[in-house]
Amino acid sequence: MRPSGRELNEMRSVSIETDVTKHAEGSCLIRVGDTHVLCTATIEDRVPPFIKGSGLGWVTAEYGMLPRSTTSRMRREATAGKQGGRTVEIQRLIGRSLRAGVDRVALGERQITVDCDVIQADGGTRCASITGGWVALRLAVKKLMKAGDVTTDPLVSPVAAVSCGMYAGQPILDLDYPEDSEAGVDGNFILRGDGRLIEVQMSAEGATFSRAEMDTLVGLAEKGVGELVALQEQVTA
Amino acid sequence: MRPSGRELNEMRSVSIETDVTKHAEGSCLIRVGDTHVLCTATIEDRVPPFIKGSGLGWVTAEYGMLPRSTTSRMRREATAGKQGGRTVEIQRLIGRSLRAGVDRVALGERQITVDCDVIQADGGTRCASITGGWVALRLAVKKLMKAGDVTTDPLVSPVAAVSCGMYAGQPILDLDYPEDSEAGVDGNFILRGDGRLIEVQMSAEGATFSRAEMDTLVGLAEKGVGELVALQEQVTA
Amino acid sequence: MRPSGRELNEMRSVSIETDVTKHAEGSCLIRVGDTHVLCTATIEDRVPPFIKGSGLGWVTAEYGMLPRSTTSRMRREATAGKQGGRTVEIQRLIGRSLRAGVDRVALGERQITVDCDVIQADGGTRCASITGGWVALRLAVKKLMKAGDVTTDPLVSPVAAVSCGMYAGQPILDLDYPEDSEAGVDGNFILRGDGRLIEVQMSAEGATFSRAEMDTLVGLAEKGVGELVALQEQVTA
Amino acid sequence: MRPSGRELNEMRSVSIETDVTKHAEGSCLIRVGDTHVLCTATIEDRVPPFIKGSGLGWVTAEYGMLPRSTTSRMRREATAGKQGGRTVEIQRLIGRSLRAGVDRVALGERQITVDCDVIQADGGTRCASITGGWVALRLAVKKLMKAGDVTTDPLVSPVAAVSCGMYAGQPILDLDYPEDSEAGVDGNFILRGDGRLIEVQMSAEGATFSRAEMDTLVGLAEKGVGELVALQEQVTA
Amino acid sequence: MRPSGRELNEMRSVSIETDVTKHAEGSCLIRVGDTHVLCTATIEDRVPPFIKGSGLGWVTAEYGMLPRSTTSRMRREATAGKQGGRTVEIQRLIGRSLRAGVDRVALGERQITVDCDVIQADGGTRCASITGGWVALRLAVKKLMKAGDVTTDPLVSPVAAVSCGMYAGQPILDLDYPEDSEAGVDGNFILRGDGRLIEVQMSAEGATFSRAEMDTLVGLAEKGVGELVALQEQVTA
Amino acid sequence: MRPSGRELNEMRSVSIETDVTKHAEGSCLIRVGDTHVLCTATIEDRVPPFIKGSGLGWVTAEYGMLPRSTTSRMRREATAGKQGGRTVEIQRLIGRSLRAGVDRVALGERQITVDCDVIQADGGTRCASITGGWVALRLAVKKLMKAGDVTTDPLVSPVAAVSCGMYAGQPILDLDYPEDSEAGVDGNFILRGDGRLIEVQMSAEGATFSRAEMDTLVGLAEKGVGELVALQEQVTA
């Protein structure tokens, strides 16, 4: 029934290649089907003004799409002179989600910036960014710990994300672009490896959903995130 | 237990004063406790380029806060030279939510812009904007129907919104500012009068939540929206 | 002869409601006919860089119009990405005018920002902003004095403003929008309660005026400001 | 008594050199003492959208200061990314003033843009821009008439401007920079050659003025503008 | 003598992987040592306004660096709100260079946009962008020809680029970042496969060069470009 | 053969008028044929952050064109809200070129900003800006030395610039606008008075050039710069 022939509760094939750039403290290229996102983590000794002197660390994120990561070319945001509303929403979500897995006291007064740049898009770029962003963050923190700059592991529980939605009346896991553009209801679910929920964003454009459908989608998300967390742990072991 | 002395499942007192400005096709001043939002609806005969010639209508929203609607003065966004990320997120949410109650074929090729301007803020401004915005929209559509410009009522089911969250370990309904700034988990629930969900945004800053907590919060939201819809119908009867 | 049936030298009915928002140090809603402006005054302990360390205070103003304060909806300036030329002119005028009634030594090294937001426009918004802005300023200064932060009253003489113009060949006081859009000559007169002039801006778009007409308009303005100052004193007594 | 040794009612020496650039349809370099402004007029066959098809013409103006036209270097507005509030105010004033001398029906559906660029500033740049701008406009219109594109002279009466103010308690004509920075009251007076007033902007920063002082300053302005108009007519004869 | 141990006239190892994204009409990932640039070519049926209706085609380019393509993280240009001066210079150079190899009549009235995004930087990103950009362009044009949309090959002669400079008093070919940051004289040479020069940019920051040195550097460039063109032809054969 | 009747190797008539504004530390008006550029040099005691405390000085440049310096009116960059790509390229080139003639240790920790504003354009504005900019710089440095603020002359060798290109198949010196708009190959050559090259920018839009042609153009540039340097020395003697 799905255009790709997948089962309702089947994710696309996922791979995470680590250490793909030589400059970043942590990096990976995550591929969720045809959605490819390059994630890098940068450690800096400064923190934003609002926590200066607090002893707490900070994790933030930025998100971008290469102009031809999409079917037809998008205008480059640097040329447009600003980040669009969708970009701003997504990068705030990524940062907030990653922070839910971080012990900011243990991190100490430093900032880690996770950049997620979409090389090729086929639906679910924000979820892939969170899942891959966590891997880059994990690798950067490893360096901090190896160097002795951080002694207690500040990463409490892995963070991963997946989308679920109602497609042709059926609940499905991990929407690709053709599914996403048809789905009336679309949700992003960010969870930790310990099963706790971090963020749920269910949204209907020109449609609505029932509580029962909501429950089913949460269940699918728990399955998908479980698989993603297993992969995250394997590649960062 | 709540700073205001309210019950866990008790909303603040809500009032909606209609027809508060002489220029707008529809308008109201909604007061949810000390949160006061002025909502106006403007009808225009043009639609955005992406639906020109489709025969479909469009409903969109913009959101703003007066500089001194808050405890300490905020910088005016017009002076800053752009709308902040939070503003953009909120006005996209308002527009998407209202559209879920609209039959865009019945509306015909015209645009209704709902402006929500916060006069005084005390938590829950986005939810008050949606609830009040629906009233302004309803009043504007009434004018269209009275004038015979629209013959089938394009408003399918009323739309209202309420926030719920975990405060001091308890699930509470309709957070005011002191509660909102302490709550680890905070959700916005947008529903229709017929009980269908339109949007769920649950978010934890520096915290997480369980499925059971999620379920409880949805239940509180259903109660709150029921009360709001009753008031909407009363003031627009 | 006037569309509203007013006498040539008759102002619209004016009311000033004080303490209309709970956060601001001073606030009022001024209604000059159908022109309604919300004015708030914010006290801050910092001053602009150019007077830091001088011991002098500063009073400044910002001005905005809600998008649907006008007959047809205006674009929101925050969306446009900048304040228009008219807005900038008006807010500079408001600030300059209010400062003419202030003893900046007595105020001490602090800043008071007066925000004037037009809720509904029907001509004369800048004059209503000055008159109402003075009331907000007066109320904020009262708090400073009551708290003992300021010992000598820094407000020297009340400041109020009114427009006058040539309409259908006749000099008239306090133009409403229908008059303003027809008047060839239009002036804004800002005076103090002691009768001293602060600012005169007479301007002709597509017309000119004689010295005799100028003199008559100044006379009308003196009458109008007298009435406004009496009301200011009454509501802040 | 004046720093320059001038009489109270004495203007600086004024010269207007015409046809100073080869590209513009009209141009002059006006020198009012040490204030030097290059004015050019550009004729274009298009008009702004709001008068398209009306048969009416338009005259508009832009104003700029070279970065080192002032005692200490100013930031270039193109680098700052926008025109400052002062610049916007001035160029709106120039355009409005020039239009008061133009018969827009006779001009026909075309636009003339007057650019006023300050090469060297020593007070009174906006007045010099108006006076010189009129000369550039006059020369451009002459070309239109010579070419037969316009048959009735659209320039009704010359437009010129001068500043007056209260300096050390005395009313003075044509303030230079040292006077301008000391004057408590400062006015710009734009008049036509036939003695009609176009715009009066009297403003007090940290001071006020009486009606009698106002009257005296208008009288000085009439004298000054008379001299400027004589020079305008001489150089464009 | 070179930090990398290369001969003075030896290029870094170069590879070009083609068809690396599924959406773009042409694409490659070029690696010049540790400098990695993703190049995509997008075909659109519209052309810029200045050639509309001329029958001529257009080739243009945009350039960007991922924030962590560099040793320390750079600010994202979309966040900064504009492209920096260096970016603008580079993308104008890429477009101009590629056009020198294109017969715009044969291309027909369509636009090809070449996006060059630096994934990892180690010196020479603009040269790698031109060399890789040509490959993306070549692949896109192949599709046009295969589809019969273009009948005469519009690509006249391949275009490639290399940098040369004076390092420690010696002329060297293809500077990597450590060499580039030490070199007093630095040149970018863009040539066609037929040996004709397209662009020469020799620049000295805090140094100068003689005519003899200039001649030597041009000779090195001819060698390097010869090798690059051979590789371009091999991967697009 | 040239439109102007000049010999292939003949420059336009050049004049440099010094001390043309009273505020700047150094200034000149350079006229290269009908290209007129006003150059001013401003000395400031602060330096950019990246050299603060280094003891080194800095020379930088800004460039602008008056809106009607060109045949048809250009949009004012301050109105457009940013400097265009061409402007940014040119001002970076001017700054870099001038610095090649400066001993930044001898200059001491201060900044000189050279502003080049084109009053009238007829081709070659960037070269005229460099040649005139050097004169303004020279005059400003003279003041520093006269005042004893600088003891060793920081100006090592004069800097001047000229354009050369291929026009109708012939190599020509100092292109004016009609030649520039026809020339397929166009180069800017910046040299020092001692014959050393600082910058070579040869560029072909829709054309290419051979090494032999390149060599000829360099020879012409050497001749032209020789003449310019002689004039620079004469007017600053």
Side-chain angles (χ1 to χ4, degrees):
Chain A
M1 183 217 93
R2 300 177 72 170
S4 60
R6 281 189 277 151
E7 297 297 317
L8 296 180
N9 70 350
E10 186 184 350
M11 291 207 55
R12 288 174 280 183
S13 96
V14 182
S15 73
I16 303 176
E17 188 183 342
T18 57
D19 297 320
V20 293
T21 86
K22 75 170 190 177
H23 298 304
E25 282 74 39
S27 70
C28 75
L29 176 61
I30 183 166
R31 291 186 182 88
V32 180
D34 280 340
T35 291
H36 302 174
V37 184
L38 181 66
C39 304
T40 61
T42 298
I43 303 170
E44 288 166 307
D45 276 333
R46 53 184 190 77
V47 290
F50 61 89
I51 49 168
K52 204 167 251 176
S54 67
L56 296 171
W58 190 245
V59 173
T60 187
E62 293 197 8
Y63 171 91
M65 298 183 84
L66 293 194
R68 196 56 200 281
S69 58
T70 42
T71 316
S72 55
R73 185 176 184 273
M74 290 175 16
R75 191 174 180 198
R76 194 177 283 269
E77 290 190 320
T79 314
K82 61 168 184 172
Q83 295 183 308
R86 178 185 168 275
T87 296
V88 171
E89 270 189 44
I90 292 176
Q91 67 193 12
R92 283 159 58 99
L93 170 64
I94 301 170
R96 212 163 53 223
S97 298
L98 296 178
R99 283 193 296 276
V102 175
D103 175 347
R104 290 168 53 207
V105 176
L107 179 56
E109 200 163 320
R110 54 176 58 83
Q111 171 168 289
I112 304 185
T113 302
V114 174
D115 284 289
C116 301
D117 285 274
V118 179
I119 303 294
Q120 188 175 277
D122 189 42
T125 62
R126 83 189 67 190
C127 291
S129 296
I130 291 167
T131 306
W134 179 264
V135 169
L137 178 61
R138 171 83 275 174
L139 296 172
V141 166
K142 266 194 162 171
K143 280 208 186 133
L144 280 176
M145 295 189 69
K146 204 170 173 186
D149 294 332
V150 163
T151 47
T152 309
D153 186 354
L155 300 193
V156 175
S157 177
V159 173
V162 77
S163 73
C164 302
M166 299 302 298
Y167 174 79
Q170 298 292 323
I172 60 173
L173 174 61
D174 187 27
L175 287 69
D176 55 30
Y177 182 74
E179 292 165 344
D180 191 44
S181 46
E182 293 296 318
V185 177
D186 180 17
N188 295 295
F189 300 84
I190 298 101
L191 287 89
R192 294 209 312 205
D194 59 11
R196 303 279 298 173
L197 292 132
I198 295 170
E199 183 120 2
V200 171
Q201 291 190 334
M202 303 187 63
S203 166
E205 179 75 52
T208 54
F209 53 99
S210 67
R211 278 198 71 169
E213 288 167 345
M214 179 173 168
D215 286 343
T216 307
L217 297 182
V218 179
L220 283 177
E222 288 173 332
K223 173 182 183 292
V225 165
E227 295 170 20
L228 291 169
V229 167
L231 180 60
Q232 286 176 324
E233 301 208 317
Q234 177 193 320
V235 301
T236 59
Chain B
M1 180 217 94
R2 301 177 72 170
S4 60
R6 281 189 277 151
E7 298 297 316
L8 296 180
N9 70 349
E10 185 184 350
M11 292 206 55
R12 289 175 281 184
S13 96
V14 183
S15 73
I16 303 177
E17 186 182 344
T18 56
D19 297 319
V20 294
T21 87
K22 74 170 190 176
H23 297 304
E25 281 75 40
S27 70
C28 74
L29 175 62
I30 184 168
R31 292 187 181 86
V32 180
D34 279 340
T35 291
H36 302 174
V37 185
L38 180 65
C39 305
T40 60
T42 297
I43 303 171
E44 288 166 306
D45 275 332
R46 54 186 191 74
V47 290
F50 62 90
I51 50 166
K52 205 168 248 176
S54 68
L56 294 172
W58 190 244
V59 173
T60 187
E62 293 196 8
Y63 170 92
M65 298 183 83
L66 294 194
R68 197 55 200 281
S69 58
T70 42
T71 314
S72 55
R73 187 176 182 273
M74 291 174 17
R75 192 174 178 199
R76 194 177 283 267
E77 290 190 321
T79 314
K82 62 168 184 171
Q83 294 184 308
R86 179 186 168 277
T87 295
V88 171
E89 271 189 43
I90 291 176
Q91 66 192 13
R92 284 160 57 99
L93 170 64
I94 300 171
R96 213 162 53 223
S97 299
L98 295 179
R99 283 193 296 275
V102 175
D103 175 347
R104 289 168 54 209
V105 175
L107 180 56
E109 200 163 320
R110 54 176 56 83
Q111 171 168 288
I112 303 185
T113 302
V114 175
D115 283 289
C116 301
D117 286 275
V118 179
I119 303 293
Q120 187 174 278
D122 188 42
T125 63
R126 82 190 68 191
C127 291
S129 296
I130 291 168
T131 306
W134 177 265
V135 169
L137 178 60
R138 170 83 278 175
L139 296 171
V141 166
K142 264 193 165 171
K143 279 209 187 135
L144 280 176
M145 295 190 70
K146 203 168 171 187
D149 293 333
V150 162
T151 47
T152 309
D153 186 354
L155 301 193
V156 174
S157 177
V159 173
V162 77
S163 72
C164 302
M166 298 302 298
Y167 174 79
Q170 298 293 322
I172 59 171
L173 174 62
D174 186 27
L175 287 68
D176 56 30
Y177 182 74
E179 291 166 344
D180 190 44
S181 47
E182 292 297 319
V185 177
D186 179 18
N188 295 295
F189 300 84
I190 298 103
L191 287 91
R192 294 209 312 205
D194 59 11
R196 304 277 299 173
L197 292 132
I198 295 170
E199 182 120 2
V200 170
Q201 291 190 334
M202 302 186 65
S203 166
E205 180 73 53
T208 54
F209 52 100
S210 67
R211 275 196 74 167
E213 289 166 345
M214 180 174 167
D215 287 342
T216 308
L217 296 181
V218 179
L220 283 176
E222 288 173 332
K223 172 181 182 292
V225 165
E227 295 169 19
L228 291 169
V229 167
L231 181 58
Q232 287 175 324
E233 301 208 317
Q234 177 193 320
V235 301
T236 60
Chain C
M1 182 216 93
R2 301 178 72 171
S4 60
R6 280 189 279 151
E7 298 296 316
L8 296 181
N9 70 349
E10 185 184 350
M11 290 207 57
R12 288 175 281 183
S13 95
V14 182
S15 73
I16 303 177
E17 189 182 341
T18 58
D19 297 319
V20 293
T21 87
K22 75 170 190 176
H23 297 305
E25 281 74 40
S27 69
C28 73
L29 176 61
I30 183 168
R31 292 186 181 88
V32 180
D34 280 339
T35 291
H36 302 174
V37 184
L38 181 65
C39 305
T40 60
T42 298
I43 303 170
E44 288 166 306
D45 275 332
R46 54 184 190 74
V47 290
F50 62 89
I51 50 168
K52 205 168 248 177
S54 68
L56 295 172
W58 190 245
V59 173
T60 187
E62 294 197 6
Y63 171 92
M65 298 183 84
L66 293 194
R68 197 55 200 281
S69 58
T70 42
T71 315
S72 55
R73 186 177 182 274
M74 291 175 17
R75 192 174 178 197
R76 196 176 282 269
E77 291 189 320
T79 313
K82 62 169 183 168
Q83 295 184 308
R86 178 184 169 278
T87 296
V88 171
E89 271 188 45
I90 291 176
Q91 68 193 11
R92 284 159 58 99
L93 170 65
I94 301 170
R96 211 162 54 223
S97 298
L98 296 178
R99 283 194 296 276
V102 175
D103 174 348
R104 290 167 53 207
V105 176
L107 179 56
E109 199 162 320
R110 54 176 57 84
Q111 172 168 290
I112 303 185
T113 302
V114 175
D115 283 289
C116 301
D117 286 274
V118 179
I119 303 295
Q120 186 175 279
D122 188 43
T125 63
R126 84 189 66 190
C127 289
S129 296
I130 290 167
T131 306
W134 178 265
V135 169
L137 178 62
R138 170 83 276 174
L139 296 171
V141 165
K142 265 193 163 172
K143 279 207 188 136
L144 280 176
M145 295 189 69
K146 203 168 172 187
D149 294 332
V150 163
T151 47
T152 309
D153 186 354
L155 301 194
V156 175
S157 177
V159 173
V162 77
S163 72
C164 302
M166 299 301 299
Y167 174 78
Q170 297 292 324
I172 60 172
L173 173 62
D174 186 28
L175 286 69
D176 56 30
Y177 182 74
E179 292 165 346
D180 191 43
S181 47
E182 292 297 318
V185 177
D186 180 18
N188 295 295
F189 299 85
I190 298 102
L191 287 89
R192 294 208 314 205
D194 59 12
R196 303 280 298 174
L197 293 132
I198 295 170
E199 182 121 3
V200 170
Q201 290 191 334
M202 302 186 66
S203 167
E205 180 73 54
T208 53
F209 52 99
S210 67
R211 278 196 72 169
E213 288 166 345
M214 179 173 168
D215 286 343
T216 307
L217 296 181
V218 179
L220 284 176
E222 288 173 333
K223 172 180 183 293
V225 166
E227 295 169 19
L228 292 168
V229 167
L231 181 59
Q232 287 175 325
E233 301 208 316
Q234 177 193 321
V235 301
T236 59
Chain D
M1 182 216 94
R2 301 177 72 170
S4 59
R6 281 189 278 152
E7 298 297 317
L8 297 181
N9 69 349
E10 185 184 350
M11 291 206 56
R12 289 174 281 184
S13 95
V14 183
S15 73
I16 303 177
E17 188 182 343
T18 57
D19 297 318
V20 293
T21 87
K22 74 170 190 175
H23 298 305
E25 281 75 39
S27 70
C28 73
L29 176 61
I30 182 167
R31 291 186 183 87
V32 179
D34 280 340
T35 291
H36 301 174
V37 185
L38 181 65
C39 304
T40 61
T42 297
I43 303 171
E44 288 165 307
D45 276 332
R46 53 186 189 74
V47 289
F50 62 90
I51 50 167
K52 205 168 250 176
S54 68
L56 296 172
W58 190 244
V59 172
T60 187
E62 294 196 7
Y63 170 91
M65 298 184 83
L66 293 193
R68 196 55 199 282
S69 57
T70 42
T71 316
S72 54
R73 187 177 182 272
M74 290 174 17
R75 192 174 178 198
R76 194 177 284 267
E77 290 190 321
T79 313
K82 62 168 184 170
Q83 295 184 308
R86 179 185 168 276
T87 296
V88 171
E89 271 189 43
I90 291 176
Q91 66 194 12
R92 284 160 57 98
L93 170 65
I94 301 171
R96 212 161 54 224
S97 298
L98 295 179
R99 283 194 294 277
V102 175
D103 175 348
R104 289 168 54 207
V105 175
L107 180 56
E109 200 163 318
R110 53 177 57 84
Q111 172 168 289
I112 303 185
T113 302
V114 174
D115 283 290
C116 302
D117 286 274
V118 178
I119 303 294
Q120 187 175 278
D122 188 43
T125 63
R126 82 189 68 190
C127 291
S129 296
I130 291 168
T131 306
W134 177 265
V135 169
L137 178 61
R138 170 85 275 174
L139 296 171
V141 165
K142 265 194 164 173
K143 278 207 188 138
L144 280 177
M145 295 190 71
K146 204 169 172 186
D149 294 332
V150 162
T151 46
T152 309
D153 186 355
L155 301 193
V156 174
S157 176
V159 173
V162 76
S163 72
C164 303
M166 298 302 298
Y167 175 79
Q170 297 292 324
I172 59 172
L173 174 62
D174 186 28
L175 286 69
D176 56 30
Y177 182 74
E179 291 165 345
D180 190 44
S181 47
E182 292 297 318
V185 177
D186 181 17
N188 294 295
F189 299 84
I190 299 102
L191 287 89
R192 294 209 312 205
D194 59 12
R196 303 279 297 175
L197 292 132
I198 295 171
E199 182 121 2
V200 170
Q201 290 190 335
M202 303 186 64
S203 167
E205 181 73 53
T208 53
F209 53 99
S210 66
R211 277 197 72 169
E213 287 165 347
M214 180 174 168
D215 287 342
T216 308
L217 296 182
V218 179
L220 284 176
E222 289 174 331
K223 173 182 182 293
V225 166
E227 295 170 19
L228 291 169
V229 167
L231 181 59
Q232 286 176 325
E233 302 208 316
Q234 177 193 321
V235 300
T236 59
Chain E
M1 181 218 97
R2 300 177 72 170
S4 61
R6 282 189 277 150
E7 298 297 317
L8 295 182
N9 69 351
E10 186 185 349
M11 290 207 55
R12 289 174 280 183
S13 96
V14 182
S15 74
I16 303 176
E17 186 182 343
T18 57
D19 297 319
V20 293
T21 87
K22 74 169 190 176
H23 298 304
E25 281 75 39
S27 70
C28 75
L29 176 61
I30 183 167
R31 291 188 182 85
V32 180
D34 280 340
T35 291
H36 302 174
V37 185
L38 180 65
C39 304
T40 61
T42 297
I43 304 171
E44 288 166 306
D45 276 332
R46 54 186 190 74
V47 289
F50 62 89
I51 50 167
K52 204 166 250 175
S54 69
L56 295 172
W58 189 245
V59 173
T60 187
E62 293 196 7
Y63 170 91
M65 299 184 83
L66 293 193
R68 197 55 200 281
S69 58
T70 42
T71 314
S72 55
R73 186 176 183 274
M74 291 174 17
R75 191 174 178 199
R76 193 177 283 268
E77 290 190 321
T79 313
K82 62 168 187 172
Q83 295 184 307
R86 179 185 168 276
T87 295
V88 171
E89 271 190 43
I90 291 176
Q91 66 193 13
R92 283 159 57 99
L93 170 64
I94 300 170
R96 212 161 54 223
S97 298
L98 295 178
R99 283 195 295 276
V102 175
D103 175 347
R104 289 168 52 207
V105 175
L107 179 55
E109 200 162 320
R110 54 177 56 83
Q111 171 167 288
I112 303 185
T113 302
V114 174
D115 283 289
C116 301
D117 286 275
V118 178
I119 303 294
Q120 188 176 276
D122 188 42
T125 63
R126 81 189 68 190
C127 290
S129 295
I130 291 168
T131 306
W134 178 264
V135 169
L137 178 61
R138 169 84 276 173
L139 295 171
V141 166
K142 265 195 163 171
K143 279 209 186 135
L144 279 177
M145 295 190 70
K146 205 170 172 185
D149 293 333
V150 162
T151 46
T152 309
D153 186 354
L155 301 193
V156 175
S157 177
V159 172
V162 76
S163 73
C164 302
M166 299 301 299
Y167 175 78
Q170 298 292 324
I172 59 172
L173 174 61
D174 185 28
L175 286 69
D176 56 29
Y177 181 75
E179 291 165 345
D180 191 44
S181 47
E182 292 297 318
V185 178
D186 180 16
N188 295 296
F189 300 84
I190 298 102
L191 286 89
R192 293 209 313 204
D194 59 11
R196 303 279 298 174
L197 292 132
I198 295 171
E199 182 119 3
V200 171
Q201 291 190 334
M202 303 186 64
S203 167
E205 180 73 53
T208 54
F209 53 99
S210 67
R211 278 198 70 169
E213 288 166 346
M214 179 173 168
D215 286 342
T216 307
L217 296 182
V218 179
L220 284 175
E222 288 173 331
K223 173 180 182 294
V225 165
E227 295 170 19
L228 291 169
V229 167
L231 180 58
Q232 286 176 324
E233 301 207 317
Q234 177 193 318
V235 301
T236 59
Chain F
M1 182 217 94
R2 301 177 72 170
S4 60
R6 281 187 279 151
E7 298 297 317
L8 296 181
N9 70 350
E10 185 184 349
M11 291 206 55
R12 288 175 281 183
S13 96
V14 182
S15 74
I16 303 176
E17 187 182 344
T18 57
D19 297 320
V20 292
T21 86
K22 74 170 190 175
H23 298 305
E25 281 76 40
S27 70
C28 74
L29 176 62
I30 183 168
R31 292 188 182 87
V32 180
D34 280 340
T35 291
H36 302 173
V37 185
L38 180 65
C39 304
T40 61
T42 297
I43 304 170
E44 289 166 306
D45 275 331
R46 54 184 190 75
V47 289
F50 62 89
I51 50 169
K52 205 166 249 178
S54 68
L56 295 171
W58 190 245
V59 173
T60 187
E62 293 196 7
Y63 170 91
M65 298 183 84
L66 294 193
R68 196 56 200 280
S69 58
T70 42
T71 315
S72 54
R73 187 177 181 272
M74 291 174 18
R75 191 172 178 199
R76 194 177 283 267
E77 290 189 321
T79 313
K82 63 169 184 171
Q83 295 185 308
R86 178 184 169 276
T87 296
V88 171
E89 271 189 44
I90 291 176
Q91 67 193 13
R92 284 160 57 98
L93 170 65
I94 300 171
R96 212 162 54 224
S97 298
L98 296 178
R99 284 193 296 275
V102 175
D103 175 347
R104 289 168 53 207
V105 175
L107 179 57
E109 199 162 320
R110 54 175 58 83
Q111 171 168 289
I112 304 185
T113 301
V114 174
D115 283 289
C116 302
D117 286 275
V118 178
I119 303 294
Q120 187 175 278
D122 189 42
T125 63
R126 84 188 67 191
C127 291
S129 296
I130 292 168
T131 306
W134 178 265
V135 169
L137 178 61
R138 171 82 276 174
L139 296 172
V141 166
K142 265 195 164 171
K143 279 208 187 135
L144 281 176
M145 296 189 69
K146 203 168 172 186
D149 294 331
V150 163
T151 46
T152 310
D153 186 356
L155 301 193
V156 176
S157 177
V159 172
V162 77
S163 72
C164 303
M166 299 301 298
Y167 174 78
Q170 298 292 323
I172 59 172
L173 174 62
D174 186 27
L175 287 69
D176 56 30
Y177 182 75
E179 291 166 346
D180 190 43
S181 47
E182 292 297 318
V185 178
D186 179 18
N188 294 295
F189 300 85
I190 298 102
L191 287 90
R192 294 210 312 207
D194 60 11
R196 303 278 299 173
L197 292 131
I198 294 171
E199 182 120 3
V200 171
Q201 291 190 335
M202 302 186 65
S203 167
E205 180 73 54
T208 54
F209 52 98
S210 67
R211 278 197 72 169
E213 288 166 345
M214 179 174 167
D215 286 344
T216 308
L217 296 182
V218 179
L220 283 177
E222 289 174 332
K223 173 182 182 293
V225 166
E227 295 169 18
L228 291 169
V229 167
L231 180 59
Q232 287 175 324
E233 302 208 316
Q234 177 193 321
V235 300
T236 59

